[in-house]
Amino acid sequence: MDSKPRVVIVGAGFGGLTTARSIAGLPVQVTVVDRKNHHTFQPLLYQVATAGLSPGEIAAPIRWILRSRSNIEVLLEEVLDFNLDQKRVISKDQTLDYDYLILASGATHAYFGHPEWEPLAPGLKTIEDALEIRRRVLLAFELAERHGASGQGPMPLNFVVIGGGPTGVELAGTLAEIARHALKHEFRTIRPEQTRILLIEGSPKVLGTYSEELSQKAKEQLERLGVEVRTSHMVTRVEAGAVMVGEDRIPAQVVLWAAGVAASPLGRRLGVPVDRAGRVLVRPDLSIPGHPRVFVIGDLAALADESGKMLPGVAPVAIQQGEYVAKMIARDLERQPRRNFHYHDKGSLATIGRAAGVAQFGKIKLSGYFAWLAWLFIHIFFLIGFRNRLIVMIQWAWSYLTYERGARLITGSNDLPGWTEPRETDNTASRVDVREPVDVSDAASVGRTCDSRQGAGATVDQSSVEPI
Ligand SMILES: Cc1cc2nc3c(=O)[nH]c(=O)nc-3n(C[C@H](O)[C@H](O)[C@H](O)COP(=O)(O)OP(=O)(O)OC[C@H]3O[C@@H](n4cnc5c(N)ncnc54)[C@H](O)[C@@H]3O)c2cc1C
């Protein structure tokens, strides 16, 4: 066993997990390291955030997924650094030697120089993020009801989603669905269907990477669901309980961030050139300059296709790159020359809400019910585990028929950042700020992003190389 090449894979997302599964048949010894014990199916995170599914239905333990591969060990570890000269991965508690390293640690949220916005406007990347969004959304309705019950009159609810990429669009559409249908008959002093849901996008259209026609259709479908779409609007400030859009101050009980991602900070630890979003500029075989046995794949890799367009930060890119790297390692072992990586774009899909979506497969464009159906089946097909596929299918069929959202649990604290409500003290109603507004110094416009799924910006161009 010890004489076999040691392959260390950092990250068990779409890219890392695919590499591990594809490489398992080779005479190699594999260690998969992830700081979480589970693989998350990120495309369905918004369903957890909007109480449609539970975390266990869209995530699975990495150890369980790889259980039948006896040459793969799984370690729960946070990787911190690398020593490429000594071929070592440095994690919190140990160092791991490798012959091949595959770095697939993905991406994280970017707040464009405003980390203080993060606690006020959570983004959606992990199960924890999804549960926090779910908590805030459900809590806002509860607090509004409590306010109404205290005799202070109805409390208008505003939810603001920043970023009109696929994540922002699916969040806004589903929030509208919850407010208009799922909660409609359950409250006594508020009318959830009157909740104002705003989607703010910096560029002139939502779903910026889709054709003009499909972007327009997506906007119309959102508006039909009751979402107010503001394109060409820049968010200049996020504060507790409000969002500044240009000079306009929009009160908001819940603010969600879908406007930007940055590459995992691990990319910069390799000491090779990265682009402005921190993605590693890989060679055509996905290895890094000067280290042919170190590969970077998925959201963390920056590579252009044949036409010079950067590959998008989507699951099929990560999956195909994972399969490719396994093949190149096999070729190395057989002393065959490597080939360049080519991405086969099979199309893109975005869901907007109930029976609403857009899809683009080459020249074929779909919108509405059929795009939504295609989205549904493709996502169920790619979910990990037969049990999860079955449960998700049943859950969706049920909520399609009944509008119910089965996972409406508020867990954790009952405080909502920015919530202001009257409290009875000494028989006098006084307004109490649950949290002080954050003073964000200068106004900065929402900027660029490396992920085609995020809104409010363009993809980072390839020329923006930042040498270390
Ligand atoms: C909300 C949302 C919805 C999406 N919807 C779609 C969709 O519908 N279709 C689509 O194609 N794509 C979608 N995407 C994009 C897609 O999920 C990503 O492109 C894909 O996950 C990238 O795969 P990856 O392997 O590069 O990274 P990830 O899948 O993000 O995996 C990275 C892994 O690395 C681990 N990790 C990170 N840092 C460390 C560290 N320091 N030490 C150890 N482990 C670490 C993480 O825990 C994680 O498991 C969506 C993304 C999001 C956030």
Side-chain angles (χ1 to χ4, degrees):
M1 187 84 168
D2 280 340
S3 62
K4 291 179 183 169
R6 287 157 303 180
V7 179
V8 174
I9 301 174
V10 178
F14 284 104
L17 200 56
T18 306
T19 313
R21 287 166 142 179
S22 312
I23 214 173
L26 299 181
V28 289
Q29 186 188 340
V30 184
T31 303
V32 175
V33 191
D34 200 295
R35 63 182 172 194
K36 305 272 179 201
N37 84 325
H38 53 270
H39 165 82
T40 304
F41 192 78
Q42 291 175 6
L44 292 185
L45 270 175
Y46 85 98
Q47 282 285 342
V48 174
T50 55
L53 295 172
S54 294
E57 289 154 10
I58 68 150
I62 300 161
R63 189 173 297 293
W64 174 80
I65 298 169
L66 297 171
R67 66 194 179 283
S68 59
R69 272 73 170 191
S70 57
N71 58 338
I72 300 184
E73 67 174 354
V74 178
L75 298 180
L76 177 69
E77 278 275 15
E78 172 146 24
V79 171
L80 302 176
D81 209 347
F82 308 97
N83 184 330
L84 297 189
D85 294 332
Q86 291 178 6
K87 296 189 176 164
R88 284 201 173 134
V89 174
I90 301 158
S91 68
K92 240 173 166 177
D93 299 312
Q94 61 177 310
T95 57
L96 296 166
D97 295 329
Y98 66 81
D99 297 303
Y100 283 94
L101 169 64
I102 293 117
L103 182 55
S105 51
T108 177
H109 310 296
Y111 286 82
F112 309 110
H114 285 286
E116 70 279 15
W117 293 357
E118 189 167 2
L120 305 172
L124 185 58
K125 192 74 197 158
T126 62
I127 293 281
E128 289 83 352
D129 296 336
L131 292 177
E132 177 58 13
I133 291 174
R134 182 179 84 179
R135 186 187 78 82
R136 291 187 190 203
V137 168
L138 298 177
L139 190 59
F141 288 107
E142 294 298 336
L143 295 182
E145 174 81 344
R146 194 173 76 187
H147 174 90
S150 72
Q152 303 295 306
M155 173 105 188
L157 281 178
N158 285 354
F159 294 173
V160 173
V161 179
I162 304 172
T167 301
V169 162
E170 62 203 15
L171 274 173
T174 316
L175 286 178
E177 193 186 316
I178 294 179
R180 306 276 178 279
H181 300 288
L183 303 181
K184 199 172 170 189
H185 302 295
E186 296 190 11
F187 290 83
R188 300 295 168 254
T189 66
I190 59 164
R191 297 186 59 190
E193 66 272 27
Q194 289 180 347
T195 305
R196 194 173 161 211
I197 292 153
L198 275 104
L199 178 65
I200 298 170
E201 165 60 38
S203 72
K205 55 180 201 168
V206 294
L207 299 183
T209 56
Y210 286 71
S211 70
E212 195 63 50
E213 180 195 343
L214 285 183
S215 292
Q216 185 54 32
K217 290 216 161 118
K219 184 168 180 263
E220 285 163 14
Q221 292 180 69
L222 279 165
E223 286 167 347
R224 259 201 303 279
L225 285 165
V227 178
E228 219 175 296
V229 182
R230 289 199 193 174
T231 49
S232 303
H233 279 75
M234 289 288 187
V235 169
T236 49
R237 179 176 159 128
V238 181
E239 58 189 52
V243 172
M244 290 292 295
V245 179
E247 295 298 304
D248 227 7
R249 186 174 185 278
I250 302 173
Q253 286 77 20
V254 176
V255 184
L256 304 179
W257 186 260
V261 292
S264 150
L266 278 184
R268 293 184 192 271
R269 305 306 306 170
L270 293 172
V272 294
V274 295
D275 69 12
R276 217 180 327 169
R279 293 183 302 174
V280 177
L281 293 163
V282 292
R283 292 156 50 87
D285 65 354
L286 306 181
S287 67
I288 61 170
H291 298 275
R293 289 181 170 204
V294 178
F295 296 94
V296 179
I297 60 172
D299 282 3
L300 184 54
L303 183 72
D305 64 15
E306 291 77 27
S307 66
K309 214 171 116 203
M310 297 304 285
L311 296 179
V314 292
V317 171
I319 291 170
Q320 289 181 30
Q321 291 184 336
E323 288 164 348
Y324 164 87
V325 163
K327 278 188 196 142
M328 291 313 106
I329 293 176
R331 290 181 79 86
D332 281 5
L333 299 180
E334 290 162 3
R335 300 187 189 286
Q336 301 270 338
R338 288 186 190 171
R339 297 189 179 130
N340 290 350
F341 172 74
H342 292 286
Y343 174 55
H344 301 287
D345 186 356
K346 292 178 188 146
S348 33
L349 290 145
T351 178
I352 294 166
R354 184 189 166 80
V358 290
Q360 203 167 289
F361 305 109
K363 285 187 180 148
I364 302 171
K365 291 177 190 150
L366 299 174
S367 71
Y369 182 72
F370 289 107
W372 177 74
L373 263 192
W375 182 93
L376 210 85
F377 282 110
I378 287 173
H379 284 78
I380 286 178
F381 179 78
F382 279 105
L383 245 182
I384 284 178
F386 176 74
R387 174 187 156 276
N388 279 353
R389 275 183 224 136
L390 190 69
I391 292 177
V392 169
M393 212 149 63
I394 293 169
Q395 297 268 32
W396 276 348
W398 183 252
S399 59
Y400 185 74
L401 294 173
T402 64
Y403 283 102
E404 279 176 21
R405 319 262 332 153
R408 278 175 32 207
L409 308 181
I410 298 174
T411 50
S413 145
N414 279 352
D415 285 342
L416 190 58
W419 183 262
T420 311
E421 66 172 312
R423 284 190 188 156
E424 296 288 348
T425 38
D426 303 321
N427 293 331
T428 316
S430 61
R431 294 184 78 78
V432 176
D433 266 335
V434 173
R435 191 170 166 152
E436 287 293 304
V438 171
D439 181 22
V440 184
S441 47
D442 61 325
S445 54
V446 173
R448 302 170 79 83
T449 164
C450 71
D451 184 351
S452 60
R453 295 198 43 84
Q454 306 284 322
T459 46
V460 169
D461 60 78
Q462 210 189 351
S463 57
S464 55
V465 180
E466 183 183 289
I468 289 190

